[in-house]
Amino acid sequence: MSDQSSWTPDESSQTLLTEEGWLQSTVISAVAYGIDVALYFMCFHLLWQQMITQRTNYKQPLSLLIYITVSFILCTLFIASLADFTQLAFIQDRNYPGGPSAFENDMFSIPIDNLGNVTGILIMLLADALVVWRCMVVYTGCRVPPWIIMIFPCLMFAACVAMALMWLVQVTTTSAYYSNSINFTIPILVLSLTLNITITIAIVLRLLAFRYCVSKALGSKYGTRYTSVAAMIIESAALHSTFSTFIEALPQVQVIAMLLIIFRVAQGNAWSKDSVNSLMTSETQPISIGNIVFTSRNTSETFASSNPTLGAIEKHETCEKSDHNCIAEGSSAA
């Protein structure tokens, strides 16, 4: 039996590793696309039901419906482009000098690869725009003015858009001037990853701070809908940061992260501008100390302050300053 090592292509180990990563990322991308399909139809169903039942407040469901439909079309075109280009490199043009890796580097401007490049960068920008929006929503009602928190993410997103345009010009042209200039592939990926990591950390810190205040004021069982580990992972789009090394699969993972956020929004479980007030008014329970039970007659007004969670803590610590009814039980009731 012949030595299997003789079957290995005459290519460097780095080239073989690049080709292996490309092929494996293609498989991961196909699996992720299947998840995209399932999540898209789940989100579509929920948003469509909201549009039918809430005829007076249909703008947000309609906007999200358009958003997920555009994203789904783009990720479908991307997976089709990726599958066709992979077939060209590994099957139809397998004898190209230098192998599939050289084919990918030299044939970046052919139409089928351009389709994948354009759809992939558009998906990235849509995903970045969504996480910037979610960061703005999560920090609504914070003691710090929102514009101070959002100025850095917005500037980074603007830089991503500018870098994406330059990258598209570079990969869609065969001009020697652009082809031999700075390669914008790594900078745009690093910039987008930095933006997502920054927003992931900011959102997680906000949710952790909120959980601490709520747990101290009301108990650890409250607020878990917004501050559980799963909720923080979804809200912060942490999947994008985790799978950033799989470039071919990255657009599909970005769509998964987007659809998970929108699915929580459609379910009513995602963080919204009214999450703090709704949590305090719906989940606040009477406090009993010994034989004394404290109840609140006007809880919604007490907690609707510039810093609701701290207001909740102050309310429980100094009940004599709030509008409470003290109901005596025990010996006096007897």
Side-chain angles (χ1 to χ4, degrees):
M1 189 173 183
S2 60
D3 185 11
Q4 293 186 2
S5 62
S6 62
W7 303 344
T8 304
D10 187 16
E11 298 175 357
S12 65
S13 58
Q14 181 63 36
T15 301
L16 291 176
L17 181 63
T18 302
E19 294 173 359
E20 290 171 0
W22 175 9
L23 193 59
Q24 291 167 4
S25 296
T26 303
V27 175
I28 295 175
S29 182
V31 174
Y33 177 72
I35 301 175
D36 291 337
V37 173
L39 286 174
Y40 169 73
F41 284 106
M42 292 167 64
C43 293
F44 186 92
H45 174 72
L46 289 176
L47 294 172
W48 184 259
Q49 290 297 324
Q50 289 184 10
M51 288 182 58
I52 295 176
T53 57
Q54 302 176 6
R55 297 183 180 274
T56 59
N57 188 22
Y58 65 91
K59 291 184 179 180
Q60 180 174 333
L62 179 61
S63 301
L64 294 177
L65 196 60
I66 295 173
Y67 179 88
I68 65 171
T69 301
V70 172
S71 301
F72 181 70
I73 293 173
L74 290 175
C75 75
T76 301
L77 293 175
F78 178 83
I79 192 65
S81 170
L82 178 61
D84 195 18
F85 191 71
T86 303
Q87 178 180 314
L88 286 175
F90 284 90
I91 299 176
Q92 293 177 237
D93 296 323
R94 70 171 71 187
N95 291 327
Y96 186 85
S101 180
F103 182 87
E104 180 185 21
N105 293 330
D106 298 340
M107 299 297 175
F108 61 86
S109 60
I110 63 176
I112 190 63
D113 196 36
N114 277 337
L115 176 63
N117 292 331
V118 173
T119 54
I121 204 69
L122 290 177
I123 290 172
M124 186 196 74
L125 293 178
L126 287 174
D128 291 345
L130 182 68
V131 295
V132 170
W133 170 65
R134 290 306 301 165
C135 184
M136 182 175 61
V137 171
V138 168
Y139 274 90
T140 299
C142 182
R143 181 183 301 180
V144 181
W147 67 268
I148 295 179
I149 298 171
M150 295 305 302
I151 186 170
F152 182 66
C154 289
L155 288 175
M156 290 192 65
F157 178 70
C160 284
V161 174
M163 189 73 70
L165 293 176
M166 290 187 289
W167 183 80
L168 284 176
V169 171
Q170 185 178 61
V171 299
T172 56
T173 184
T174 56
S175 172
Y177 174 77
Y178 290 107
S179 300
N180 296 328
S181 61
I182 299 174
N183 188 345
F184 292 107
T185 303
I186 300 300
I188 182 62
L189 292 176
V190 171
L191 190 60
S192 177
L193 178 61
T194 303
L195 172 63
N196 278 268
I197 291 176
T198 302
I199 293 182
T200 296
I201 295 173
I203 292 178
V204 169
L205 288 177
R206 166 68 168 159
L207 296 179
L208 286 175
F210 178 78
R211 183 170 70 175
Y212 172 77
C213 293
V214 171
S215 299
K216 188 175 180 181
L218 305 176
S220 58
K221 65 180 180 179
Y222 294 109
T224 55
R225 182 173 64 175
Y226 306 113
T227 59
S228 63
V229 174
M232 286 187 285
I233 290 175
I234 294 173
E235 289 279 2
S236 62
L239 286 175
H240 180 190
S241 304
T242 305
F243 287 86
S244 59
T245 56
F246 299 94
I247 298 178
E248 282 79 9
L250 185 58
Q252 305 297 345
V253 175
Q254 288 173 325
V255 174
I256 291 176
M258 289 189 292
L259 292 175
L260 285 174
I261 293 174
I262 294 175
F263 185 70
R264 282 180 60 85
V265 172
Q267 284 184 316
N269 293 331
W271 187 284
S272 66
K273 296 179 180 180
D274 300 323
S275 294
V276 174
N277 290 334
S278 63
L279 176 66
M280 293 303 178
T281 55
S282 63
E283 295 187 343
T284 302
Q285 301 294 332
I287 307 170
S288 61
I289 303 178
N291 292 330
I292 306 296
V293 178
F294 297 93
T295 61
S296 175
R297 201 173 356 176
N298 196 3
T299 304
S300 59
E301 294 181 3
T302 303
F303 287 108
S305 61
S306 60
N307 194 337
T309 50
L310 291 180
I313 298 173
E314 293 173 0
K315 175 184 172 181
H316 289 295
E317 290 180 348
T318 56
C319 64
E320 66 274 6
K321 295 182 181 179
S322 304
D323 184 17
H324 283 179
N325 292 330
C326 295
I327 304 173
E329 296 180 353
S331 59
S332 58

